[in-house]
Amino acid sequence: MTRRRRKADNPNHDRWLVSYADFITLLFAFFVVLYASSQADKSKMGKLAEAIEAGFQNLGVFDQVGRPGKTAGAAQDTDAIDLGRLAPSHRGSVEQRKDIRELRRALEAALAPEIRRNEVALHEGPDDLVVSLREVGFFDSGSARMKPDALSAFARVANILRDRQCELRVEGHTDDVPIHTARFVSNWELSTTRATEVVRLLIESYDFPAERLSAAGFAEYHPAAGNDSAEGRRMNRRIDVVILGNKTRPVVEGISTQRIEVPAIRADAETVTGPRRQQ
């Protein structure tokens, strides 16, 4: 008897569909990940960009008028944003920025003569405004006592800030030239004493609430410019009045500030016990 031959199986020409389906599934997952990555919190990214920009401005890398990388119409001005459409936290941030800008305009108008003479500079950060009172206009070299002829300009600043509900941090800064006097053995003492002198004036002469004030001395370790030129050292010798728009703003990392009641600082001139620095 002849054995029946098994009929050969027909080849399956559709097996490629399995690999194609796997490829399409992976491609779909890839584009889902890309889409999810593009939906990052734009408000947080904007705040991060402003913080980085403010840091470069404080170092003198960017100026305040012409900001690199921005052109007219490239970004919407926050003044034109519909506040009613924003979340409460973002709405507060926009209103805070508007308050800071209004305060800056008022200070620029009041201090116009000192700004033209490069005795005062203003720097706007993401949630604060810094008024830099440079030594050349406000202090004698190596002294923590404010010049009598600088009190008028300081009074203009104090009168504008007194009625505003914001906290102030007064920071003393120096250049890197060592100091050698009977009263100040290092730049730490000089920068801290200048800061507390300003705090004392605000409390005693302008009735500032002491709980809104703090003082810090940074010596030469937070320069506004390089110390390798006379102009850079001149910019570094300063008092920064930091106007905090946000009361919960953290203190600079690694620096502790303490609210204090400052005693009157003696007015007598310091006796030089070593080479007089140009501070």
Side-chain angles (χ1 to χ4, degrees):
M1 176 181 289
T2 305
R3 180 177 299 178
R4 181 179 295 177
R5 180 178 296 176
R6 174 181 291 181
K7 186 178 180 180
D9 294 335
N10 293 328
N12 187 351
H13 297 290
D14 296 328
R15 295 184 63 182
W16 64 273
L17 287 173
V18 176
S19 299
Y20 179 74
D22 289 342
F23 173 74
I24 292 298
T25 302
L26 291 174
L27 194 63
F28 173 75
F30 173 71
F31 281 107
V32 167
V33 171
L34 287 181
Y35 176 78
S37 301
S38 69
Q39 300 303 307
D41 191 329
K42 294 181 176 61
S43 65
K44 291 183 179 179
M45 295 297 291
K47 290 179 180 179
L48 175 61
E50 288 180 347
I52 294 173
E53 182 179 345
F56 279 112
Q57 287 171 354
N58 290 336
L59 292 174
V61 178
F62 294 168
D63 62 27
Q64 300 292 322
V65 178
R67 295 180 178 179
K70 291 188 179 180
T71 57
Q76 183 181 12
D77 186 13
T78 54
D79 292 342
I81 295 177
D82 183 3
L83 297 179
R85 297 174 58 191
L86 299 176
S89 60
H90 196 183
R91 187 183 311 130
S93 176
V94 172
E95 293 173 351
Q96 176 181 309
R97 294 288 297 169
K98 291 179 66 176
D99 290 341
I100 289 177
R101 289 176 181 176
E102 291 175 1
L103 176 58
R104 177 174 183 169
R105 286 193 287 267
L107 288 168
E108 286 176 337
L111 297 169
E114 288 75 20
I115 292 174
R116 285 194 297 269
R117 295 195 298 266
N118 290 322
E119 296 174 357
V120 174
L122 277 74
H123 307 282
E124 186 175 336
D127 58 357
D128 60 26
L129 180 65
V130 180
V131 183
S132 291
L133 310 177
R134 291 172 176 162
E135 181 199 69
V136 64
F138 290 85
F139 295 93
D140 290 321
S141 177
S143 173
R145 189 74 171 181
M146 189 172 291
K147 294 179 181 179
D149 55 359
L151 293 176
S152 173
F154 184 76
R156 278 174 263 148
V157 176
N159 289 330
I160 291 174
L161 299 180
R162 178 170 47 199
D163 298 327
R164 293 183 175 263
Q165 297 302 314
C166 54
E167 294 186 354
L168 305 180
R169 185 174 69 244
V170 183
E171 302 176 352
H173 299 271
T174 69
D175 60 20
D176 63 350
V177 179
I179 185 171
H180 303 283
T181 70
R183 186 174 182 188
F184 303 117
V185 297
S186 73
N187 283 325
W188 288 109
E189 283 80 2
L190 176 61
S191 62
T192 303
T193 306
R194 282 182 173 176
T196 55
E197 164 71 2
V198 171
V199 169
R200 182 188 68 82
L201 286 174
L202 291 173
I203 294 173
E204 295 183 356
S205 300
Y206 300 97
D207 298 323
F208 271 71
E211 62 272 12
R212 284 170 46 194
L213 302 174
S214 59
F218 292 85
E220 68 265 29
Y221 297 102
H222 287 260
N227 281 304
D228 52 355
S229 68
E231 177 63 20
R233 290 192 296 273
R234 186 181 67 83
M235 293 176 62
N236 291 334
R237 300 192 297 267
R238 70 198 190 278
I239 285 288
D240 282 349
V241 180
V242 184
I243 304 158
L244 302 175
N246 183 355
K247 291 186 178 181
T248 61
R249 182 178 187 273
V251 176
V252 178
E253 182 179 357
I255 299 296
S256 171
T257 59
Q258 180 180 8
R259 293 183 180 85
I260 54 175
E261 298 247 342
V262 185
I265 297 176
R266 68 182 186 184
D268 57 311
E270 295 82 357
T271 303
V272 178
T273 59
R276 183 68 169 185
R277 74 193 299 266
Q278 294 301 314
Q279 175 63 29

